[in-house]
Amino acid sequence: MTQPSPRLTTGLRDQAFRWIADDVDPDTRTELQTVLARAMGGDADAVAELADRMAGPLTFGTAGLRGPVRAGPNGMNPAVVVRTTAGVAAWLTSHGKAGGTVVVGRDARHGSAAFAVAAAEVLSAAGFAVKVLPGPLPTPVLAFAVGHLGAVAGIQVTASHNPPADNGYKLYDDTAAQIVPPADREVEAAIADAPAAVAVPRSPDATTAGSDVLETYLSRCATLPRGTARTLRVAATPMHGVGGDVLVRALRAAGFTDVRLVAEQAEPDPDFPTVAFPNPEEPGATDRLLALAAEIDADLAIALDPDADRCALGARDGDGTWRMLRGDETGVLLGEHVLSTTDSTDPLVATTIVSSSMLGGMAEAHGARYAETLTGFKWLARAGEGLVFAYEEALGVCVNPGFVRDKDGIAAAVLACDLAATTKAAGRTLFDVLDDLAVRHGVHLTDQVSVRIPDLRARAELMDRVRTAPPATLADVAVTAEDRLPEADVLRLRGEGLRVVLRPSGTEPKLKVYLEVTADVPAEEDLPESRRTAAKRLTALRTELSQLLDR
């Protein structure tokens, strides 16, 4: 039976008219007027599009706002940014931060420049001392600036590694870390109470931050290397994002001068023309990088995501082929480097509940403290006093919590070059170091199963079904369930040598399932067999979980 075409309701039509009347930007007014006119003319597709655009507002998720650049409350546009910033200003004022400094930064995506100006103008009119970073810069530079300038907040306009059509708005508080609950809900409530965008006062009184902010950040990065070796050839890509120039300058400041960028991806380009999805984790995204690394006989390959807060590493394997390291491999390599060289008397290292558990064993071996947090650097940055290192499996690494309380792809790249150069000088490779860690702490293999479920209710029902009737065994191993953690919809299944974590994504319409299998390595010569055993169990585990979630 044919479903009836959607029809434009009076309520939807009036809602669109009100938004258009209150919009602050002539281009987005015209954009929404065009969609509304088509819908009023009986275009069913336009009715559906209008309903989607008006289905907002965007909500604060794992990292603030994020959505498509388009007119309407369910998109990123000047009106949404104006009302959001009015809410942020009210929230700051309610917490006694009125008149303080707020830093505003941006990437080079579509709309970023205009959104940063809008945010700065609203904050200035609200009485804050606004410092705008000079031009598009990496998110870690904004995070650094908040602490460096003693700001009460920081706003970065960025959608990180989202598709080209998206943009976003990331908020940092006066601790120079991303906001955590209940701040996100408080900000949302303040946005809901904000007046229409046309009624929000704006002032052009913001000032541009001096070049000293970036120079100081670079000088801090130059202090990160632990060793003295600097002979290293690096292939790198900023993936059409804003990290290229800053990465090269940071590496040069640290003594690593032989750096070649993927030419087609070296400059910021909001259309990301050479990658289907600008995320180093995505298949094919680093093909050009690995080809360059092989061509120039590099020692290390580095891929940043577009706002340069994530760092992926690539290296030449024993058979001569290049491959990218998994996030957990990068995490334990850099974690071991920090643990073995830190001068902290009581160091703390941290990772998330979905990352490899190997870091815990490494910390114990070094006499360091270890913490696991919920996913996201807003939690990792707050793991505890004495934090010297943190990472998450999704390529987020913090090697410099003393001056950036967030993931920092630039700083991670500097320390990775230090490790690679030190390892090269000793006649070894990063894969040799990974083998050493496996022999000492056991094989730890990780993987992920993602089930796309756009319907939030269906996703919740699936989680409830697994929670109510969890499997008794997985991959022939008895497992027990650990129910949801505080403030998080998370289910963990544990058994001898395996772990499964299920959680709904905070940024994508997916249910994510994180798998880990471990195996002891009795002696160095047993490593290949231990890896084969673990790999076989991981394959079985992945198959069973896929079947379980497909029912």
Side-chain angles (χ1 to χ4, degrees):
M1 182 176 179
T2 303
Q3 293 293 323
S5 299
R7 303 189 62 166
L8 180 64
T9 65
T10 301
L12 178 59
R13 181 201 63 190
D14 291 349
Q15 184 187 7
F17 272 130
R18 284 194 299 273
W19 184 268
I20 291 167
D22 292 337
D23 204 338
V24 294
D25 182 74
D27 291 336
T28 50
R29 279 201 302 271
T30 300
E31 179 186 329
L32 196 58
Q33 284 170 339
T34 301
V35 178
L36 176 58
R38 288 170 46 218
M40 292 176 68
D43 186 328
D45 290 339
V47 173
E49 180 182 346
L50 186 66
D52 187 46
R53 285 172 179 259
M54 303 308 298
L58 295 177
T59 57
F60 269 76
T62 303
L65 297 178
R66 203 171 287 185
V69 178
R70 62 179 183 178
N74 195 23
M76 283 294 297
N77 55 69
V80 165
V81 170
V82 165
R83 294 194 70 249
T84 296
T85 309
V88 169
W91 172 72
L92 289 170
T93 299
S94 71
H95 284 270
K97 308 296 183 182
T101 297
V102 180
V103 188
V104 177
R106 67 175 177 92
D107 64 12
R109 283 177 174 266
H110 292 296
S112 287
F115 299 161
V117 168
E121 289 179 346
V122 171
L123 289 163
S124 294
F128 292 90
V130 183
K131 298 285 187 181
V132 181
L133 295 185
L137 285 168
T139 294
V141 176
L142 181 281
F144 168 74
V146 174
H148 179 64
L149 297 175
V152 297
I155 294 166
Q156 178 79 350
V157 178
T158 181
S160 189
H161 53 269
N162 271 41
D166 290 355
N167 212 324
Y169 184 109
K170 187 177 288 189
L171 179 61
Y172 293 78
D173 63 20
D174 60 353
T175 70
Q178 296 177 47
I179 62 169
V180 294
D184 50 356
R185 302 285 82 84
E186 292 172 355
V187 171
E188 279 190 342
I191 296 169
D193 290 339
V198 291
V200 175
R202 296 166 69 175
S203 168
D205 291 339
T207 60
T208 302
S211 61
D212 60 297
V213 172
L214 178 58
E215 295 302 327
T216 304
Y217 169 81
L218 292 171
S219 68
R220 297 280 186 89
C221 286
T223 67
L224 291 172
R226 270 76 165 159
T228 58
R230 294 293 183 272
T231 302
L232 196 74
R233 176 167 294 168
V234 180
T237 178
M239 209 157 285
H240 298 296
V242 297
D245 179 66
V246 177
L247 174 65
V248 172
R249 291 180 63 185
L251 291 177
R252 286 177 178 167
F256 302 102
T257 58
D258 191 355
V259 182
R260 321 280 182 89
L261 295 182
V262 176
E264 311 95 306
Q265 300 174 337
E267 297 299 323
D269 188 329
D271 293 319
F272 304 100
T274 69
V275 287
F277 201 98
N279 181 351
E281 289 184 294
E282 290 293 317
T286 57
D287 286 355
R288 281 177 168 81
L289 171 65
L290 297 181
L292 175 64
E295 176 188 337
I296 67 174
D297 193 27
D299 300 301
L300 184 68
I302 297 172
L304 303 177
D305 73 338
D307 71 330
D309 63 351
R310 287 174 170 84
C311 175
L313 302 180
R316 187 188 291 109
D317 211 336
D319 62 1
T321 60
W322 279 84
R323 77 165 177 90
M324 300 303 294
L325 303 184
R326 297 180 66 88
D328 282 316
E329 291 176 315
T330 294
V332 298
L333 280 171
L334 295 182
E336 175 66 17
H337 193 44
V338 170
L339 283 166
S340 62
T341 56
T342 184
D343 56 7
S344 173
T345 57
D346 187 23
L348 169 69
V349 295
T351 191
T352 68
I353 59 172
V354 303
S355 302
S356 171
S357 60
M358 182 185 280
L359 186 64
M362 292 162 48
E364 183 179 3
H366 286 281
R369 290 176 293 128
Y370 170 72
E372 287 185 1
T373 74
L374 298 175
T375 55
F377 257 87
K378 62 184 180 183
W379 301 113
L380 283 171
R382 295 173 168 85
E385 292 296 322
L387 184 68
V388 297
F389 175 80
Y391 93 92
E392 58 183 356
E393 47 76 39
L395 304 178
V397 183
C398 178
V399 300
N400 52 333
F403 62 94
V404 171
R405 298 193 69 210
D406 198 9
K407 52 187 176 292
D408 184 345
I410 303 293
V414 171
L415 195 67
C417 286
D418 175 46
L419 172 61
T422 300
T423 303
K424 178 184 178 182
R428 309 184 78 231
T429 70
L430 296 182
F431 292 107
D432 292 332
V433 180
L434 286 171
D435 286 348
D436 291 346
L437 292 173
V439 171
R440 266 183 268 158
H441 305 291
V443 172
H444 289 65
L445 300 185
T446 56
D447 203 353
Q448 185 183 136
V449 175
S450 290
V451 183
R452 188 172 182 83
I453 310 175
D455 186 330
L456 293 179
R457 181 179 297 178
R459 192 168 60 176
E461 289 173 352
L462 179 56
M463 280 290 292
D464 287 342
R465 175 165 60 78
V466 179
R467 179 175 283 116
T468 302
T473 63
L474 286 170
D476 296 326
V477 175
V479 295
T480 57
E482 300 174 1
D483 210 340
R484 73 176 71 212
L485 302 173
E487 298 186 31
D489 185 10
V490 174
L491 178 66
R492 292 193 286 191
L493 305 171
R494 290 183 183 273
E496 184 66 32
L498 65 80
R499 183 203 67 196
V500 175
V501 182
L502 299 88
R503 75 172 184 92
S505 171
T507 57
E508 301 173 281
K510 294 179 179 179
L511 177 65
K512 291 189 172 183
V513 186
Y514 302 84
L515 317 178
E516 182 181 41
V517 167
T518 63
D520 292 336
V521 182
E524 185 174 348
E525 59 270 21
D526 298 315
L527 178 58
E529 181 58 30
S530 294
R531 280 202 171 121
R532 283 191 291 270
T533 300
K536 183 177 179 180
R537 177 171 288 178
L538 184 61
T539 298
L541 183 60
R542 182 185 180 92
T543 299
E544 287 189 30
L545 261 300
S546 297
Q547 294 170 346
L548 175 69
L549 299 176
D550 192 39
R551 290 176 187 169

